[in-house]
Amino acid sequence: MENAEVVAMLGEIADLLELKEESPFKVRAYRRAAQVVDTLPVPVSELGQRGELGGLPGVGPHTAARIAQFLETGTCDELERLRGQVPSGVSELLRVEGVGPKTAALVWKELDITSVDALEEAARSGELIQLPRMGPKRAKAIASAVGRYRARLGRVPLHRALPYAEALVARLREIPGVTQALAAGSLRRRMETVGDVDLLVASTEPEKVVRAFPNLPGVASLLARGPTRSSVRLRTGLQVDLRVIPPESFGAALHYFTGSKAHNIALRTRAVRRGLKVSEYGVFDAKGRRVAGEREEDVFRAVGLPWIPPELREGLGELEAAEAGRLPELIEEEDMRGDLHVHSEASSDASSSLEELAAAARKLGRRYVAITDHSRSRPQGLDEARLRAHVRHIRRVDRGLHGRPHLLTGLEVDILADGALDLDEEVLAELDCVVASVHSRFNMDAEEMTERIVHALRSGVVHVLGHPSGRLIGSRDPYPFDLERVLEVAREEGVALEVNAQPERLDLTDQACRLAKEVGVKLMISSDAHNARHLENLRYGVWVARRGWVEARDVLNTLPLSEFRRRLRRARRVPGYTWTGEEAGLSP
DNA sequence: GCCGTTTTCGGCCCGACTGTTTTCAGTCG
């Protein structure tokens, strides 16, 4: 987890240098170094101890020294020097969408604005408009972006919290007397963002655990401590609450603190009707005798239900489904055989070679991987000629891999503003897997955007609609479009919808997955990896699908390769082939 | 700040989009 802290330190230096309007190349050097550390497969401290930091690409003597000092002391001179020159609220302005370094520096120097609050006030009062290149539209956009910034404050994306929670749980388990330790709360339900982390520990010696807790790695400060509970703040700002439970109540406490609130209320209501009382200490009968509590399964059994996976506990019909014996058999990460949206270094925003991607995919147990780089409209995207050369390269590398894994040819083709695809359909028809995505003109109205997507789905050469809503968690809202209409056309055309597993995207969302399943549209869960390390992110997509009640059979890339290929071929209207949804098995 | 077999200085990715402008600066990816 210290890698993430080093990444944050380098990023902050870059931000501050940018606000001081120093050389953009210096700024870029720090950003590049941050990116390299972020994708490092080993703890950066290991390299530090061996004096090998300078051997990393993009890390020269200066940056290596700053990282080394940071690892040793938790900060570095350069960072502190810069923090002394830029008021602390100014770099926060950069988190507001549409405000970059130039605008932040301008409002700071011209209007003495050093906080998001002051920025909002200036945007609303009209004060901002006095500035050069600042008109009413930009002022309005900034004011509304501040609203979105506030809405995401205090919540962190799952992938930022999970590694810390996992590391803390592992350390808690090492404390003598601890029999169980688990993360509960929204993190256990795998929600896309979490407010804080709730950790539960079973032990007969709570004092010992509570005393050890603030000394665990990553903890910055102790917020509160009682005999059986404690709260700390991590250096990243994340709050972590610990509760120590007697072993006989652990299952009940785990259920209670996992939530959700709606699920708990529904379960307690059900218990009351059966003359039982459910609390975090156990399930009790009318005479106050404990009838369950040690194991979570027993809590459910006491109220006449099978165990319900945490991802389903949102009060959205899971109790009724459990009662009727119709809980889905949720998809597992182990079901995933293929990854169908992966960028190689042929994309300007990606960095791994085909060989590196194949090696990483093999380690993760993937059987097949489609290489889907960007099309012409993206910076340095592939045109027809470069795509053909790229396809030959993919096939050459694939031959050397002997199926471990299989590399498929593909493309992430842009859906242009009018719904046309960014490359000639004849060329696209030669590829194994075509992902079609919207990357531009997000501000269309819903009707136009829906038509744009539908037109692309009707092309007959698209296998899957990539990141269908375009949202970025906490920073960009989904563009407006009619999901039900898109699902209807996808079903007619035999096109799958992607569950993009990039932790900032998670697109489709959980509830959209559930809708797709209900109307009989198949899904593909893909990493959208931009380097080999990102292939691991597939698990985030699997969790979203689980929250959407999705089973392995709803997801095409759980199929063995031969069957997967058959599905893709059938789902496409290539010359000489007449497609029907029924034959493809894609009807509801 | 980093890099390099065109190397110790001079270059470093770039195009789309937007809102502000009458030719372009700033942001984003």
Side-chain angles (χ1 to χ4, degrees), chain A residues 100-234:
Chain A
K102 290 290 196 305
T103 309
L106 186 71
V107 299
W108 164 36
K109 286 175 185 159
E110 294 299 319
L111 301 176
D112 198 30
I113 286 172
T114 60
S115 73
V116 172
D117 287 347
L119 178 69
E120 186 185 30
E121 173 56 28
R124 292 198 189 286
S125 71
E127 195 182 3
L128 272 193
I129 299 175
Q130 313 161 5
L131 296 174
R133 311 201 65 83
M134 187 68 72
K137 278 192 176 175
R138 285 199 70 198
K140 198 168 162 224
I142 286 173
S144 100
V146 168
R148 286 196 298 283
Y149 168 81
R150 291 237 177 76
R152 69 176 190 260
L153 259 192
R155 291 193 76 81
V156 268
L158 179 62
H159 72 112
R160 296 272 174 230
L162 191 69
Y164 293 91
E166 287 175 340
L168 288 169
V169 164
R171 295 297 292 259
L172 286 167
R173 285 185 179 145
E174 292 169 1
I175 297 172
V178 169
T179 56
Q180 293 193 76
L182 277 175
S186 49
L187 188 123
R188 183 168 180 236
R189 302 201 313 280
R190 306 302 190 210
M191 279 188 68
E192 59 194 37
T193 61
V194 301
D196 54 20
V197 173
D198 298 300
L199 300 181
L200 295 188
V201 162
S203 171
T204 50
E205 299 172 90
E207 292 280 348
K208 209 190 255 180
V209 182
V210 166
R211 254 182 288 123
F213 186 50
N215 300 321
L216 296 184
V219 173
S221 63
L222 177 66
L223 300 175
R225 178 156 76 190
T228 63
R229 51 182 299 178
S230 175
S231 293
V232 297
R233 192 172 297 288
L234 302 184

Side-chain angles (χ1 to χ4, degrees), chain A residues 442 466-472 477-481 505-509:
Chain A
F442 297 127
H467 43 73
S469 87
R471 70 143 179 193
L472 294 173
D477 288 338
Y479 39 71
F481 71 107
R505 288 193 182 270
L506 301 182
D507 180 13
L508 294 176
T509 63

Side-chain angles (χ1 to χ4, degrees), chain A residues 184-320:
Chain A
S186 49
L187 188 123
R188 183 168 180 236
R189 302 201 313 280
R190 306 302 190 210
M191 279 188 68
E192 59 194 37
T193 61
V194 301
D196 54 20
V197 173
D198 298 300
L199 300 181
L200 295 188
V201 162
S203 171
T204 50
E205 299 172 90
E207 292 280 348
K208 209 190 255 180
V209 182
V210 166
R211 254 182 288 123
F213 186 50
N215 300 321
L216 296 184
V219 173
S221 63
L222 177 66
L223 300 175
R225 178 156 76 190
T228 63
R229 51 182 299 178
S230 175
S231 293
V232 297
R233 192 172 297 288
L234 302 184
R235 283 203 296 273
T236 59
L238 188 64
Q239 183 174 329
V240 183
D241 297 333
L242 170 77
R243 290 178 177 82
V244 188
I245 316 286
E248 66 271 18
S249 292
F250 187 76
L254 182 60
H255 178 263
Y256 178 81
F257 289 112
T258 296
S260 66
K261 199 174 220 174
H263 167 88
N264 285 356
I265 289 171
L267 191 102
R268 284 200 296 266
T269 307
R270 180 184 171 89
V272 168
R273 282 203 301 269
R274 299 170 159 244
L276 298 167
K277 190 187 81 157
V278 175
S279 76
E280 60 264 52
Y281 302 104
V283 183
F284 301 88
D285 67 14
K287 294 179 180 155
R289 286 177 306 208
R290 183 206 303 273
V291 298
E294 188 173 349
R295 299 187 320 151
E296 202 178 42
E297 294 93 303
D298 299 338
V299 173
F300 285 104
R301 191 173 305 134
V303 297
L305 293 176
W307 181 81
I308 298 175
E311 292 94 329
L312 299 184
R313 299 184 199 169
E314 296 294 341
L316 296 172
E318 69 274 12
L319 294 191
E320 293 78 358

Side-chain angles (χ1 to χ4, degrees), chain A residues 263-509:
Chain A
H263 167 88
N264 285 356
I265 289 171
L267 191 102
R268 284 200 296 266
T269 307
R270 180 184 171 89
V272 168
R273 282 203 301 269
R274 299 170 159 244
L276 298 167
K277 190 187 81 157
V278 175
S279 76
E280 60 264 52
Y281 302 104
V283 183
F284 301 88
D285 67 14
K287 294 179 180 155
R289 286 177 306 208
R290 183 206 303 273
V291 298
E294 188 173 349
R295 299 187 320 151
E296 202 178 42
E297 294 93 303
D298 299 338
V299 173
F300 285 104
R301 191 173 305 134
V303 297
L305 293 176
W307 181 81
I308 298 175
E311 292 94 329
L312 299 184
R313 299 184 199 169
E314 296 294 341
L316 296 172
E318 69 274 12
L319 294 191
E320 293 78 358
E323 167 97 66
R326 278 205 292 268
L327 282 176
E329 201 172 305
L330 295 181
I331 185 168
E332 315 253 358
E333 194 184 352
E334 292 68 41
D335 295 324
M336 299 305 304
R337 286 190 162 94
D339 194 339
L340 283 311
H341 184 168
V342 173
H343 293 270
S344 75
E345 58 196 348
S347 294
S348 60
D349 54 357
S351 58
S352 293
S353 66
L354 298 180
E355 289 82 0
E356 289 163 346
L357 290 167
R362 179 164 58 234
K363 254 190 212 157
L364 291 166
R366 312 276 183 255
R367 310 292 175 78
Y368 50 96
V369 173
I371 303 299
T372 54
D373 286 299
H374 287 297
S375 63
R376 187 163 52 188
S377 289
R378 297 290 89 210
Q380 289 120 57
L382 299 170
D383 57 21
E384 278 88 354
R386 286 183 56 216
L387 174 60
R388 286 210 160 92
H390 192 42
V391 162
R392 285 195 294 275
H393 182 205
I394 294 169
R395 295 206 171 115
R396 203 157 53 237
V397 173
D398 177 53
R399 279 195 294 276
L401 290 170
H402 305 291
R404 301 178 58 244
H406 293 278
L407 287 190
L408 309 185
T409 60
L411 189 75
E412 182 181 18
V413 64
D414 267 41
I415 301 174
L416 303 176
D418 61 356
L421 300 175
D422 187 30
L423 283 188
D424 195 76
E425 289 178 8
E426 228 172 276
V427 187
L428 296 177
E430 296 168 17
L431 300 172
D432 295 321
C433 185
V434 174
V435 183
S437 308
V438 168
H439 284 125
S440 58
R441 292 287 304 279
F442 297 127
N443 60 342
M444 289 180 163
D445 65 38
E447 203 175 326
E448 275 183 304
M449 186 61 90
T450 306
E451 273 318 297
R452 176 183 182 181
I453 294 169
V454 161
H455 193 264
L457 298 187
R458 296 275 194 216
S459 69
V461 295
V462 169
H463 294 111
V464 55
L465 176 64
H467 43 73
S469 87
R471 70 143 179 193
L472 294 173
I473 295 172
S475 62
R476 188 170 73 206
D477 288 338
Y479 39 71
F481 71 107
D482 182 345
L483 175 63
E484 289 178 29
R485 170 81 180 133
V486 166
L487 286 171
E488 182 187 312
V489 174
R491 190 182 56 196
E492 286 170 17
E493 297 289 335
V495 174
L497 259 59
E498 179 178 85
V499 181
N500 189 296
Q502 259 190 53
E504 300 82 10
R505 288 193 182 270
L506 301 182
D507 180 13
L508 294 176
T509 63

